[in-house]
Amino acid sequence: MHSFNFSKIIFVIIFLSAAFQNTFSQNISPKTEIEKIIKDSKGIVGISVLGLDEKFSLKFNDNYKFAMQSVYKFPLAMAVLDQVDKGKFTLEQKFKVEKGDLKPNTWSPMREDFPNGTEASLADLLRYTVAKSDNNICDYLIKLVGGTKNVQNYLTKIGIKNIAFAATEEEMSRAWEVQYTNWSKPSEMTKLLKIFFLGKVLSKSSNDFLWKTMVETSTGPKRLKGLLPEGTIVAHKTGTSGTNEQGITAAVNDVGIVQLPNGKHFAITVFVSNSTDNLETNEEIIARITKIIWNYFLEKDKSIFTQSLYLVDESRKNRSVPVEIYQNKNPKISNNQLVLLNPGYKGANTEYSFIAENLANQGYFVASIQHDLATDEPIATTGNLYELRMPAWERGVQNVQFVISELKKRFPKLDYRHLNLIGHSMGGDISMLFVKKFPEIVKKAITLDHRRMKIPRLNMPGILSIRADEFEADAGVLPNEAEQKQFGIKIVTLKNTKHGDLSDFGSAETKQAVNQIISDFLKN
């Protein structure tokens, strides 16, 4: 094996295969992909999106009255801050929260922190209500502002007509049907988000306080924020109901304002109502929709067009196969080659963008495939892992075949006879199994620290394995020096590198090294 010395890096940007089609202008609308997600949901999905710095709007199921659940703590907070602006209260003002205010059998972080009650500032009460979604403190604030009717009157006064604020958290807990009296139409909630963002009704200090509080929201990290890059600023409020005896979940919601890397913003409301899907699936629906909108806004300002495809394989019990597409907008740069990127186990197909975007910048068409889903059984961690994990690898190969068949329909000009594969960890195992089965249609294959599936000893296709030095591969997986020479297989080890570093979570130095090694291999 060869060691790679970081000090000798000369950064070259040359990357894997892709192609740009003349259908680009037809692919940029997010509507089609969102419609597919809604169709697959076992509930009612309401969506509203507004561009806050440019003209853009999108609505789905906007006439339906969706149960808000804890989303209604956002308009409540605005009503409280309105009274602060009028001088009735101050954010520093202290209030006594009695033990009796902290009722059991409901979500209440303050009760857990202060079981016997406490004295807290209004600012802290708002933080508990919005950022931590405390039900007891929500009701405390409703009482403080004079009841639900006063909150409703405030909303009416600022021009909000299709949000109903009728019941407290305690009242909702008494009967299943009561939660539906607190409802909103998607576009009306997005309208309220826009009013808040533009600072039209609250003072700057109140607006800034609420913005910071919503950014600090700890609930629902897998919803609006679920597939967005780590560190993305999202000011949001979630809402979640229980599930009744019939298996119906009344509400899995998230609404908020997302800040894009270019400093622009969009407001988004996603309500999932009366669903028989599990929580993980409903949260994934929200995350996927948000990522599609994120990609839509980003592609306007980049040389790369990013598109989220949510494919469904009907031949395998309607298995979902999400795919992230990266391609260059400039047809003169395109080379019609295809790269199939395979993430590691539990890794998102968006977590290898440092490879995909660089490849697309050089004209390659990259399809990053999500192989494992939240609904899949966990893979084995003990026993004969080669045998026990083989079904998951076989499923991965089937995913790759299915994605190829779907891409042929959408992008017929790509070169499907000379594929390029890249796979990290289990994605590398899948890639090597694909090479073993279909070597005649693979041009180059690259694994990033895979450990189980034996690299086929073949002269063609060309094979490269980039290794971290944290774990050893299983015996016989990697070729010995004589086999490397005989078959032209390249093995490169990155010093002081961990297994997880070979993704977007690695250091800039590691990602630079990986890209250079890949570039050198592909161009030869």
Side-chain angles (χ1 to χ4, degrees), residues 169-346:
E169 288 282 359
E170 183 180 11
E171 289 167 342
M172 284 195 287
S173 69
R174 293 174 187 165
W176 177 263
E177 297 79 11
V178 178
Q179 65 189 304
Y180 295 101
T181 65
N182 290 329
W183 57 263
S184 174
K185 292 185 177 181
S187 64
E188 201 75 350
M189 184 58 67
T190 307
K191 178 181 177 181
L192 183 61
L193 288 166
K194 182 177 181 179
I195 290 171
F196 161 60
F197 176 78
L198 295 178
K200 289 187 173 182
V201 294
L202 296 176
S203 68
K204 185 178 186 306
S205 59
S206 290
N207 229 67
D208 290 348
F209 171 82
L210 184 53
W211 174 268
K212 185 175 184 293
T213 303
M214 292 175 71
V215 169
E216 294 171 351
T217 291
S218 58
T219 57
K222 295 182 180 180
R223 299 184 192 180
L224 291 183
K225 299 175 70 173
L227 292 176
L228 301 183
E230 187 175 1
T232 298
I233 295 174
V234 182
H236 67 122
K237 185 69 201 82
T238 60
T240 312
S241 75
T243 302
N244 67 15
E245 294 178 353
Q246 289 73 45
I248 296 172
T249 302
V252 179
N253 305 329
D254 205 356
V255 310
I257 298 164
V258 179
Q259 181 172 308
L260 295 157
N262 59 11
K264 294 182 179 181
H265 303 79
F266 65 88
I268 181 168
T269 295
V270 186
F271 293 136
V272 184
S273 181
N274 293 343
S275 174
T276 56
D277 284 321
N278 60 28
L279 177 63
E280 291 77 12
T281 300
N282 288 324
E283 290 189 320
E284 187 177 35
I285 286 170
I286 296 172
R288 287 180 177 181
I289 290 167
T290 309
K291 186 60 164 59
I292 288 172
I293 298 300
W294 170 274
N295 286 347
Y296 171 79
F297 280 104
L298 278 193
E299 67 86 19
K300 292 181 176 181
D301 299 312
K302 293 173 63 177
S303 62
I304 299 169
F305 168 49
T306 307
Q307 181 182 14
S308 300
L309 299 179
Y310 295 99
L311 308 176
V312 177
D313 188 350
E314 295 179 356
S315 68
R316 291 187 293 156
K317 298 181 180 179
N318 291 324
R319 180 174 181 81
S320 176
V321 186
V323 181
E324 202 75 3
I325 300 295
Y326 302 80
Q327 59 185 133
N328 202 291
K329 291 181 180 179
N330 187 347
K332 294 181 179 179
I333 296 177
S334 303
N335 59 22
N336 290 330
Q337 294 186 61
L338 172 62
V339 176
L340 297 164
L341 190 53
N342 302 291
Y345 179 62
K346 288 191 176 179

Side-chain angles (χ1 to χ4, degrees), residues 12 18 22 24 39-40 74 125-126 145 149-150 173 181 184 209-210 214 269 340 346 357 367 391 405 434 446 479:
V12 181
N22 292 328
F24 167 74
K39 181 181 177 182
D40 293 338
F74 163 53
L125 295 178
L126 282 164
V145 296
K149 288 185 179 180
N150 279 359
S173 69
T181 65
S184 174
F209 171 82
L210 184 53
M214 292 175 71
T269 295
L340 297 164
K346 288 191 176 179
E357 290 183 2
S405 68
F434 190 94
I446 301 170

Side-chain angles (χ1 to χ4, degrees), residues 468-479:
D469 62 358
E470 183 179 15
F471 303 118
E472 292 288 336
D474 289 353
V477 168
L478 303 179

